[in-house]
Amino acid sequence: MPLEYVTGDATRPGAPGNKVIGHVCNDRGGWGRGFVLAVSRRWPQPEHHYRQWSRTSGFELGAVQLVQVETDTWVANLVAQHGYRTRENPVPLRYEALDTCLATLADHVVELDATVHLPRIGTGLAGGSWDKIATLLDRQLTAREISTTIYDLP
């Protein structure tokens, strides 16, 4: 089952049934730039839970937090970005952490019998390579027959 690419808003998946919207978060507890702004415009819960979680043990690279935002919709906070992009840290995305996050996400999605909906995670503020990220998505999600849709804004 290949990745499906569509033009649209990842915060408004039109698929039937349970849905999980995933995005990459940093390991510093910062929330306020990139795709999270669209998430926060739709639902306050993911930011609130992420900020609380960031002050606890277990908040680290490779960790996943699922936040239910509607009866059939969850947002997955995937901690796969180390700090922020700087001259010294030009690619804060950590591929190994993202791989771990996606494996955990896949387990949750199978349990929920859900589909996955993502922007091009890890490529914006995190500076990652889409080719490498797509390979991880294929290995962890589509190889497990998990329907995964990638959204590009119009």
Side-chain angles (χ1 to χ4, degrees), residues 83-105:
Y84 305 104
R85 186 186 280 190
T86 63
R87 188 176 9 243
E88 298 76 30
N89 188 26
V91 180
L93 181 69
R94 297 299 183 258
Y95 294 103
E96 186 175 309
L98 180 58
D99 194 48
T100 300
C101 287
L102 293 173
T104 301
L105 176 64

Side-chain angles (χ1 to χ4, degrees), residues 3-103:
L3 295 172
E4 179 183 359
Y5 291 84
V6 300
T7 299
D9 180 351
T11 68
R12 298 181 183 277
N18 289 337
K19 296 165 277 297
V20 175
I21 300 165
H23 69 103
V24 167
C25 301
N26 64 67
D27 62 356
R28 297 292 193 266
W31 180 291
R33 294 181 58 208
F35 181 70
V36 297
L37 296 177
V39 170
S40 290
R41 279 194 292 275
R42 292 271 335 234
W43 309 286
Q45 305 97 309
E47 178 181 0
H48 174 76
H49 287 282
Y50 170 80
R51 289 189 185 277
Q52 283 187 325
W53 181 39
S54 73
R55 297 187 295 269
T56 66
S57 64
F59 178 78
E60 59 193 14
L61 286 170
V64 174
Q65 180 189 53
L66 235 57
V67 179
Q68 189 167 8
V69 293
E70 294 179 13
T71 305
D72 62 353
T73 307
W74 289 258
V75 170
N77 295 327
L78 311 172
V79 183
Q81 178 181 324
H82 180 60
Y84 305 104
R85 186 186 280 190
T86 63
R87 188 176 9 243
E88 298 76 30
N89 188 26
V91 180
L93 181 69
R94 297 299 183 258
Y95 294 103
E96 186 175 309
L98 180 58
D99 194 48
T100 300
C101 287
L102 293 173

